[in-house]
C-alpha cells in the first residue's frame, strides 16, 4: 500500500509552547484517515503543517520532514503542493461571491479556460451532491446557502483543482444528522479518487468512514492503526479511555 504523504519527527512550537511533539505518521493513498483527540491537542496544526500552510506563520517553529510521494515537501514548489494537497478549514466560509464565482476562483488562478471551467464546476458540484440544489441559482451569493450547503461548496471548491489529497478539518461540525450523512457518503465515494485525511470530534463518524485512525493527545501520536483496532482493540490504555469517552 502506497504512502502518499508522511511525516518524520515532526515537531511544531509556537514560542515556548510545544504543540506537536515528534510526530511520525504515514497516510495511505486512496484511504480515509481520521485524526481524533481532545480539543487543543494539535489536530488542526498537524493538518496545516501537512499542506505547508503553517510555514507561512512566522510564529511557528517547525522541525522534521514532510514527504509527499516520497519527495521532501521543501523541494517541491509551493504552488504545486497547494494544488496537490487541498484543504478545507474548520468552519469554512465561502467567499462573499456567487456560487459560480466561488467555484471559479482557483480555476481562474490556475489559468483554466472558460469552457473547461464550466465543465469542471458542474462535475464537482455533482460530486458533492450540490448540483441539483443550486443549478438554477449559480449566480446567487454563496453566503445565502445553508450551513450544510456552504460546507459542501467549500469541499467542491477544494476539489475543483483536482488535488490528490484532501485535508478536511471537522467538515461536519455544524451540520445536522442528514447533512452529516450526506458528507460521509460523499467522502466514501471520493476515496477511490482522492486520499482523504479528516479531523473529527465525532468518534462514531471516524469509526463509520475511516480506514485508519490516528489518536493524538497533547501534541503526541498515542496510537495510529486500522480504525477497527483503535476502537475495538486499542493497544494503549489512553486510547481505550478516549474512545470510551473519558477525555473531552
Ligand atoms: N497560530 C498559532 N499561534 C499560537 N498558538 C497556536 C496557533 N495555532 C494553534 N495554537 C495553539 O496550539 C494548540 C493546538 O491547537 P490546534 O488548533 O491545533 O488544536 P485542535 O486539536 O485542532 O483543537 P480543536 O479540536 O479545538 O480544534 C493550542 O494550544 C493553540 O492555542
Ligand atoms: Mg482544530
Amino acid at each position: 500500500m502506497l504512502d502518499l504523504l508522511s511525516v518524520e519527527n515532526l515537531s511544531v512550537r509556537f514560542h515556548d509552547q510545544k504543540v506537536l511533539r515528534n510526530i511520525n505518521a504515514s497516510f495511505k493513498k486512496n484511504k480515509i484517515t481520521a485524526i481524533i483527540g481532545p480539543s487543543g491537542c494539535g489536530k488542526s496544526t498537524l493538518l496545516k503543517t501537512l499542506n505547508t500552510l503553517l510555514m507561512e506563520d512566522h510564529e511557528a517553529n517547525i522541525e522534521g520532514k514532510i514527504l509527499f510521494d516520497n519527495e521532501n515537501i521543501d523541494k517541491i514548489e509551493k504552488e504545486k503542493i497547494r494544488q496537490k494537497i487541498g484543504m478545507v478549514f474548520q468552519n469554512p466560509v465561502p467567499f462573499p461571491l456567487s456560487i459560480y464565482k466561488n467555484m471559479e476562483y482557483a480555476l481562474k488562478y490556475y489559468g483554466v479556460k472558460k469552457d473547461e471551467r464550466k465543465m469542471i464546476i458542474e462535475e464537482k458540484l455533482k460530486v458533492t451532491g450540490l448540483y441539483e440544489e443550486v443549478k438554477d441559482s449559480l449566480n446567487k451569493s454563496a453566503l445565502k446557502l445553508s450551513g450544510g450547503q456552504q460546507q459542501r461548496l467549500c469541499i467542491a471548491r477544494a476539489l475543483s483543482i483536482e488535488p490528490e489529497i484532501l485535508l478536511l478539518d471537522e467538515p461536519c461540525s455544524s451540520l445536522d444528522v442528514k447533512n452529516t450523512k450526506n458528507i460521509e457518503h460523499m467522502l466514501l465515494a471520493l476515496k477511490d479518487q482522492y486520499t482523504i485525511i479528516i479531523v473529527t470530534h465525532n468518534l462514531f463518524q471516524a469509526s463509520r468512514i475511516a480506514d485508519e485512525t490516528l489518536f493524538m493527545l497533547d501534541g503526541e501520536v498515542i496510537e495510529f492503526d486500522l480504525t477497527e483496532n483503535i476502537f475495538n482493540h486499542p493497544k494503549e490504555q489512553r486510547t481505550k479511555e478516549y474512545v470510551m469517552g473519558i477525555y473531552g
Side-chain angles (χ1 to χ4, degrees):
M1 189 66 60
L2 185 65
D3 293 332
L4 193 55
L5 190 64
S6 50
V7 296
E8 288 177 11
N9 304 322
L10 178 72
S11 293
V12 172
R13 236 179 338 106
F14 292 109
H15 301 287
D16 54 1
Q17 186 194 4
K18 237 183 170 183
V19 174
L20 297 181
R21 300 161 190 269
N22 203 34
I23 300 222
N24 288 287
S26 288
F27 301 93
K28 294 197 172 67
K29 198 175 162 113
N30 298 115
K31 297 280 176 202
I32 300 179
T33 303
I35 301 178
I36 60 169
S39 187
C41 73
K43 303 180 297 295
S44 296
T45 306
L46 176 58
L47 277 202
K48 285 183 211 154
T49 317
L50 292 177
N51 91 332
T52 71
L53 197 74
L54 204 68
M55 290 162 191
E56 317 268 302
D57 186 339
H58 299 301
E59 312 268 282
N61 182 296
I62 306 167
E63 284 169 34
K65 254 200 241 172
I66 302 173
L67 302 171
F68 173 73
D69 222 355
N70 290 320
E71 196 179 348
N72 195 324
I73 227 162
D74 293 341
K75 304 253 165 12
I76 311 173
E77 251 181 278
K78 278 256 155 57
E79 299 265 293
K80 190 171 163 202
I81 286 295
R82 298 276 157 79
Q83 187 263 313
K84 296 271 185 200
I85 310 180
M87 173 150 179
V88 180
F89 292 99
Q90 202 161 0
N91 308 314
V93 188
F95 305 133
L97 298 169
S98 71
I99 296 168
Y100 197 83
K101 289 205 165 114
N102 262 273
M103 290 299 297
E104 209 177 24
Y105 203 87
L107 292 169
K108 268 187 159 170
Y109 178 81
Y110 282 97
V112 178
K113 299 264 176 329
K114 196 172 173 191
D115 287 351
E116 203 183 333
R117 292 204 295 266
K118 190 162 180 282
M119 249 166 47
I120 296 172
I121 290 171
E122 200 174 305
E123 183 204 321
K124 300 307 171 194
L125 288 173
K126 279 183 180 156
V127 167
T128 46
L130 256 186
Y131 188 69
E132 285 304 315
E133 292 163 48
V134 303
K135 65 174 192 246
D136 299 323
S137 50
L138 291 172
N139 293 321
K140 200 171 96 174
S141 165
L143 300 179
K144 293 203 172 134
L145 294 171
S146 75
Q149 289 173 324
Q150 290 190 15
Q151 211 122 12
R152 280 183 287 150
L153 179 66
C154 291
I155 296 175
R157 194 175 63 185
L159 295 179
S160 67
I161 50 170
E162 284 303 349
E164 287 183 37
I165 300 177
L166 189 58
L167 307 174
L168 300 169
D169 200 346
E170 291 271 9
C172 303
S173 55
S174 56
L175 303 185
D176 65 8
V177 175
K178 181 169 164 272
N179 276 305
T180 298
K181 284 263 147 63
N182 285 343
I183 296 229
E184 289 180 8
H185 283 137
M186 178 193 85
L187 295 178
L188 288 168
L190 288 178
K191 79 169 178 173
D192 284 347
Q193 252 179 298
Y194 305 95
T195 297
I196 298 170
I197 304 175
I198 174 177
V199 167
T200 179
H201 273 288
N202 182 337
L203 299 182
F204 291 109
Q205 176 165 72
S207 67
R208 276 193 298 266
I209 65 169
D211 300 287
E212 297 202 315
T213 295
L214 184 159
F215 169 52
M216 287 176 72
L217 207 54
D218 197 17
E220 269 183 281
V221 174
I222 304 300
E223 199 166 341
F224 186 11
D225 204 341
L226 294 174
T227 299
E228 139 83 8
N229 291 342
I230 292 285
F231 286 96
N232 299 322
H233 317 284
K235 292 193 186 75
E236 292 282 332
Q237 181 62 19
R238 286 174 294 178
T239 314
K240 199 183 249 173
E241 287 170 3
Y242 186 76
V243 300
M244 282 168 60
I246 288 174
Y247 294 105

